[in-house]
Amino acid sequence: MSNDAERSAILSGYAPPPGVRDEMLDEEGRVKPAWRKLVAHLQAASPQERERDFSRGAHYLRDAGVFVRQYEEGASPRDWPLSPVPVIQPTDEWQALAAGLGERADLLEAVIADLYGDNKLVADGHLPPSLVASNPEWLRPLVGVKPASGHFLYFLAFEIGRGPDGRWWVLGDRTQAPSGAGYAIENRVASSRSFPGLYRSANVARLAGFFRAFRDGLNAARQEDNSRVGILTPGPMNDTYFEHAYIARYLGMMLLEGDDLMVEDGRLLVRTVSGPKPISVLWRRLDAIWADPLELESASKLGTPGLLGAVRSGGVTMVNALGAGVLESRAFLAFLPRLSEVLHGKPLTIPNIATWWCGGEAERAHVLANAEAMMIGPANSTRLPLEPEPGAVLKGDMSAMGLDLDAWLAAEGRHLVGQQLVSLSTTPTWENDVLKPRPMSIRVFLSRTRDGWQLMPGGFARLAASADDPSAVSIRRGGSVADVWVVSDKPLPEEEARVRPDEFFVRTSPALLPSRAADNLFWLGRYAERSEGLMRLVRAYMSRLPESPAGGSPLMDAIETYLEDRGVETGEGVPLAVEQAISMAVNSANQVRDRFSVDAWSSLADLEGAVGKMRRVVVPGDDAASALGVLLRKITGFSGLVHENMYHSTGWRFLTIGRSLERAMAMAELLATFGEWSGPHGGFELCVEIGDSVMTHRRRYSVTASRNTVIDLLALDVLNPRSIACHVSEIRHQVSLLPGAQTGGQLSNLSLLVQRLHSELAAHTPQSLNLEKLNELRQAIGQVTNEIHAQYLG
């Protein structure tokens, strides 16, 4: 295909609506300089090459577990809707945007400092008192409370769009707990994989420096050298939890929930397995109203009692300050242009979308006269004008409400705003192997650093689902997202080294482990091992089923009873109990997702997906035995990734202890049931098979499996990774390395219990470890679990 023909094919039908600015084309319809490398790259690639490249990015996002949560009953998460074609912005334009948004950030800081301080803006008539007082994010308990750091705002997001005249407009301010920065990073990784060669040569500004500067700024805000920076999340049920976990892992910060924290003597502390430790900077991803059930929303189960007390005493710096969400109100957009004049003596460099608060007579009359060009909606809403909620009116259409617009504005004016409907610029997206224009907005991020406000060199673009419906710039309404590339026409300078070669280096101590995280890691180890144990049991049953006599056999009957006691239905090919055990492991891992690599998480998600598919199609017998073999290989793959690649910190120790406790306890139960002379014929061989020790048994013992050989190999042989003795030794070793294993030269209760268990087991022979002793051993292992909970996890 010729270059001209390819150009025609790629740009076929690319026609932005009349009067709308396009990001890729200039007024003459020519490709802008910043876009030419991308267009040339697309032209040079064949359809197969483009599909292959774009699939790389999509596969990365699926493997990383980036998805859109859907709340409809029975709905499954859907793939992250990344448009492979990035939005491209020249560096000089982005720098101008950074300067203008920095001014806006300073204005917002000044406004909120006044609202919770001297309140001159209301007293002098620049803000209506009712507008502030009626805002649900206006938190009266924080009036007069100054932040410990002196700043209310640290991390901001602005929703921006470009109008037909080429000017950027702010569509909304995000000051509460701005989301999207983590997704921007994932979009960047995916887009760089979709355009690997182009990305390296296109002089795209990197994102890492932005986050590093923000992290350094937060660390500088700590009040004590031994205190930490934490990220406060509502938990895994929040629709942006993936981002919270991703950012925590990316920045190396603790991801905390409200229950992880406590307040003591005006200080904020995190409950860890090493005892309470100070937190002096908390980046909250939780709406302020839920932060403290004592003084704010009493029904909150997400916050920390007494948190406001720590804020008042200056014991913690909140990012952003509690109460900052008041600035997100649509109505504030009506007053910010004037407040800029009052506070800074100049107009906003980057204006916000034209907004009128309908509480004033003149403003109400203007909205009424121009209603056909407006969205009219709740004043305290934080939605964008392109995302009207139920009860909002577009273009003056009151038919759905059955009211008269004039009467509605007169009666409810102080609760309403009118906002000008704007035509957003369009940007290309890839559809049916051609470029198509789609309206777009960009969420950009601004962080406070030690050198002042810094704008992320990129962002999170949202694209409408169709060219004629700009109101669909929403993922949940079928829109898509795109990476934002800030490109330079010159090679980017290499980042300076952060540490000089001769600088003194000190290895830092491992990060603190919150008790909740330790608990979830402990149970992840147990549930993963329990899942594997169930799989081995069911596989052993299913492999014997085709050759089992029609009336059954003592061994098969015993296995059925053993499985049924554990909630396993033997009539199912892949039993529900196996799926449930895996789901419990996934749930525990999800609670501490920030502590797992992409590979480990992908492995576990793959296992969960595989067992769900198999349950629908696999039938009992050889088919089930084969399917369970596949699942066993998948779960051992996950275990291998975790145990071989995860840093051996305190968290890994709890996971390992949980795994060893579960395996030791399960083996004791198995031997007590099938490892006795009184058990059914074939029980010894069953134990060896489930213990994955068939080859070892053949090599170690020249006789057929007997009680002595089975007990020796699966209970007492410390070199066998499936034996009770091996895992009791492992538990003893890991417990000895936990915080508080010794105090003042004396062993803790847990250490004493494990030492006693280890010594007693080591003293046994196959003959002395009878059924009674096996049952006592199983109970003693259970007591270790109870003591771990009492000392560390309670």
Side-chain angles (χ1 to χ4, degrees):
M1 181 181 291
S2 71
N3 188 44
D4 289 342
E6 182 70 8
R7 180 190 302 272
S8 175
I10 288 176
L11 296 177
S12 174
Y14 192 87
V20 172
R21 185 182 180 91
D22 187 71
E23 296 297 321
M24 182 177 69
L25 303 181
D26 62 18
E27 291 79 1
E28 304 299 325
R30 296 170 300 195
V31 176
K32 295 177 182 177
W35 287 82
R36 288 173 187 167
K37 282 188 176 181
L38 174 64
V39 173
H41 178 87
L42 291 171
Q43 289 169 353
S46 68
Q48 294 77 16
E49 289 171 334
R50 289 193 292 264
E51 182 178 358
R52 178 201 63 200
D53 290 346
F54 292 165
S55 68
R56 288 197 192 102
H59 287 158
Y60 167 78
L61 292 169
R62 282 195 293 271
D63 289 345
V66 188
F67 60 84
V68 178
R69 189 190 298 273
Q70 301 187 88
Y71 292 97
E72 296 81 3
E73 186 174 353
S76 300
R78 65 184 178 91
D79 288 343
W80 185 244
L82 179 68
S83 171
V85 179
V87 177
I88 296 181
Q89 296 295 313
T91 297
D92 55 350
E93 288 191 28
W94 204 256
Q95 289 173 344
L97 196 61
L101 293 177
E103 290 179 4
R104 189 176 187 88
D106 287 336
L107 174 62
L108 293 174
E109 175 74 31
V111 170
I112 193 171
D114 179 82
L115 291 178
Y116 286 100
D118 297 336
N119 206 21
K120 290 182 178 180
L121 295 176
V122 171
D124 294 345
H126 300 298
L127 281 173
S130 63
L131 186 65
V132 178
S134 65
N135 193 310
E137 296 299 331
W138 169 247
L139 304 182
R140 294 181 184 276
L142 287 157
V143 173
V145 177
K146 295 183 179 180
S149 66
H151 299 297
F152 286 82
L153 303 176
Y154 274 85
F155 194 84
L156 303 173
F158 300 102
E159 205 76 34
I160 63 173
R162 199 198 297 265
D165 61 357
R167 298 179 66 191
W168 287 104
W169 296 78
V170 173
L171 307 176
D173 301 304
R174 295 292 176 255
T175 56
Q176 172 78 266
S179 63
Y183 291 106
I185 302 174
E186 289 288 46
N187 290 344
R188 172 59 55 86
V189 176
S191 70
S192 66
R193 295 192 178 190
S194 294
F195 298 94
L198 174 65
Y199 182 77
R200 287 191 293 269
S201 64
N203 301 327
V204 182
R206 306 299 195 260
L207 304 182
F210 170 83
F211 286 98
R212 182 169 55 240
F214 179 53
R215 181 197 61 197
D216 292 347
L218 294 185
N219 284 327
R222 291 180 302 161
Q223 300 168 27
E224 308 170 71
D225 289 340
N226 67 333
S227 67
R228 299 298 201 280
V229 178
I231 298 177
L232 179 62
T233 175
M237 296 308 296
N238 185 268
D239 58 354
T240 57
Y241 176 75
F242 164 82
E243 181 187 28
H244 306 167
Y246 183 90
I247 288 289
R249 184 170 61 240
Y250 186 80
L251 297 181
M253 295 178 179
M254 284 191 294
L255 187 63
L256 305 169
E257 296 183 24
D259 286 344
D260 292 327
L261 301 169
M262 58 185 290
V263 176
E264 189 175 276
D265 297 329
R267 301 174 72 210
L268 187 65
L269 306 171
V270 58
R271 296 181 173 94
T272 78
V273 295
S274 304
K277 301 295 180 181
I279 288 281
S280 60
V281 178
L282 193 62
W283 183 9
R284 65 177 178 89
R285 306 305 300 273
L286 172 73
D287 285 356
I289 194 65
W290 306 105
D292 186 344
L294 291 183
E295 297 194 59
L296 298 174
E297 175 53 63
S298 60
S300 173
K301 298 185 183 301
L302 303 175
T304 302
L307 183 58
L308 263 64
V311 172
R312 284 195 192 93
S313 69
V316 61
T317 293
M318 299 296 296
V319 178
N320 289 326
L322 297 173
V326 68
L327 297 173
E328 292 191 356
S329 166
R330 278 179 184 155
F332 267 87
L333 295 177
F335 296 94
L336 285 176
R338 174 58 184 159
L339 294 179
S340 180
E341 299 274 5
V342 170
L343 294 172
H344 292 162
K346 60 180 181 180
L348 289 166
T349 302
I350 301 176
N352 52 248
I353 186 172
T355 305
W356 294 266
W357 178 58
C358 298
E361 185 175 345
E363 292 82 359
R364 190 163 55 248
H366 178 85
V367 170
L368 182 62
N370 297 276
E372 291 186 357
M374 291 195 183
M375 186 284 299
I376 306 171
N380 283 326
S381 172
T382 61
R383 288 202 188 192
L384 302 180
L386 298 177
E387 298 176 340
E389 60 269 83
V393 171
L394 285 175
K395 300 181 179 180
D397 182 8
M398 297 289 291
S399 58
M401 300 181 66
L403 297 172
D404 176 77
L405 180 59
D406 192 356
W408 183 50
L409 288 175
E412 299 293 332
R414 65 191 182 94
H415 301 303
L416 299 171
V417 294
Q419 290 188 293
Q420 181 181 359
L421 292 173
V422 296
S423 296
L424 295 175
S425 65
T426 56
T427 193
T429 188
W430 194 256
E431 184 178 307
N432 297 326
D433 214 34
V434 294
L435 294 172
K436 294 287 187 180
R438 293 290 180 264
M440 66 118 200
S441 67
I442 301 178
R443 177 167 290 196
V444 295
F445 303 92
L446 205 67
S447 69
R448 186 184 295 279
T449 72
R450 289 183 286 191
D451 299 322
W453 291 109
Q454 183 171 328
L455 180 67
M456 179 195 289
F460 181 100
R462 298 194 296 171
L463 281 56
S466 64
D468 56 358
D469 185 13
S471 66
V473 182
S474 168
I475 295 174
R476 289 192 174 85
R477 295 190 60 190
S480 57
V481 302
D483 188 17
V484 178
W485 289 7
V486 178
V487 301
S488 173
D489 56 0
K490 301 176 183 178
L492 297 174
E494 294 291 333
E495 292 190 15
E496 295 181 2
R498 307 299 293 178
V499 180
R500 296 192 309 271
D502 59 343
E503 187 168 334
F504 183 68
F505 171 78
V506 177
R507 178 182 292 167
T508 58
S509 59
L512 295 175
L513 180 68
S515 298
R516 178 188 56 83
D519 190 30
N520 281 290
L521 288 166
F522 174 78
W523 280 101
L524 171 60
R526 294 202 62 175
Y527 285 129
E529 182 60 35
R530 188 172 300 176
S531 301
E532 181 180 342
L534 282 176
M535 290 177 196
R536 292 187 181 279
L537 278 165
V538 176
R539 184 176 68 168
Y541 173 82
M542 293 297 174
S543 65
R544 288 166 171 76
L545 191 60
E547 299 179 2
S548 178
S553 68
L555 178 62
M556 292 295 285
D557 292 345
I559 298 175
E560 285 183 11
T561 300
Y562 192 79
L563 288 171
E564 288 169 1
D565 289 344
R566 284 148 185 79
V568 177
E569 292 289 338
T570 55
E572 300 174 321
V574 177
L576 176 62
V578 172
E579 184 178 36
Q580 290 174 333
I582 293 172
S583 294
M584 295 298 287
V586 172
N587 181 63
S588 294
N590 196 35
Q591 302 287 333
V592 285
R593 187 167 178 175
D594 57 305
R595 296 176 181 272
F596 289 98
S597 68
V598 170
D599 287 339
W601 180 259
S602 298
S603 176
L604 192 57
D606 177 55
L607 173 65
E608 185 180 34
V611 73
K613 292 177 183 177
M614 289 179 180
R615 271 190 43 76
R616 295 191 292 269
V617 297
V618 172
V619 297
D622 287 336
D623 190 29
S626 177
L628 286 159
V630 173
L631 294 178
L632 275 169
R633 290 190 289 275
K634 288 180 178 293
I635 198 167
T636 53
F638 166 73
S639 297
L641 280 169
V642 168
H643 288 281
E644 295 301 323
N645 297 346
M646 189 174 176
Y647 187 74
H648 289 196
S649 61
T650 305
W652 179 86
R653 300 191 195 290
F654 276 97
L655 189 148
T656 300
I657 291 170
R659 171 176 175 260
S660 289
L661 279 170
E662 187 70 27
R663 184 171 287 187
M665 195 179 305
M667 184 55 71
E669 292 174 349
L670 183 73
L671 292 175
T673 305
F674 296 100
E676 292 295 318
W677 289 114
S678 58
H681 178 69
F684 298 144
E685 289 77 9
L686 177 71
C687 290
V688 174
E689 178 185 342
I690 293 173
D692 198 21
S693 300
V694 174
M695 290 180 60
T696 304
H697 188 276
R698 289 173 182 167
R699 291 176 177 175
R700 285 287 310 276
Y701 309 100
S702 59
V703 296
T704 304
S706 67
R707 185 186 186 280
N708 286 343
T709 63
V710 169
I711 295 297
D712 182 55
L713 182 61
L714 298 179
L716 302 178
D717 191 340
V718 73
L719 299 181
N720 182 8
R722 291 281 168 179
S723 75
I724 300 173
C726 175
H727 287 283
V728 168
S729 294
E730 181 70 24
I731 293 166
R732 182 185 67 158
H733 175 63
Q734 299 302 336
V735 165
S736 71
L737 298 174
L738 291 179
Q742 290 190 28
T743 303
Q746 292 186 330
L747 296 178
S748 67
N749 290 338
L750 173 62
S751 297
L752 286 170
L753 180 61
V754 173
Q755 290 280 17
R756 185 163 51 248
L757 174 63
H758 181 268
S759 299
E760 291 176 355
L761 183 59
H764 275 297
T765 64
Q767 294 81 4
S768 66
L769 192 59
N770 55 31
L771 179 60
E772 179 183 357
K773 295 298 182 182
L774 272 173
N775 287 327
E776 290 178 359
L777 177 61
R778 183 176 55 183
Q779 292 174 1
I781 296 171
Q783 290 174 2
V784 173
T785 297
N786 296 336
E787 194 59 42
I788 288 173
H789 275 274
Q791 185 168 336
Y792 295 105
L793 311 180

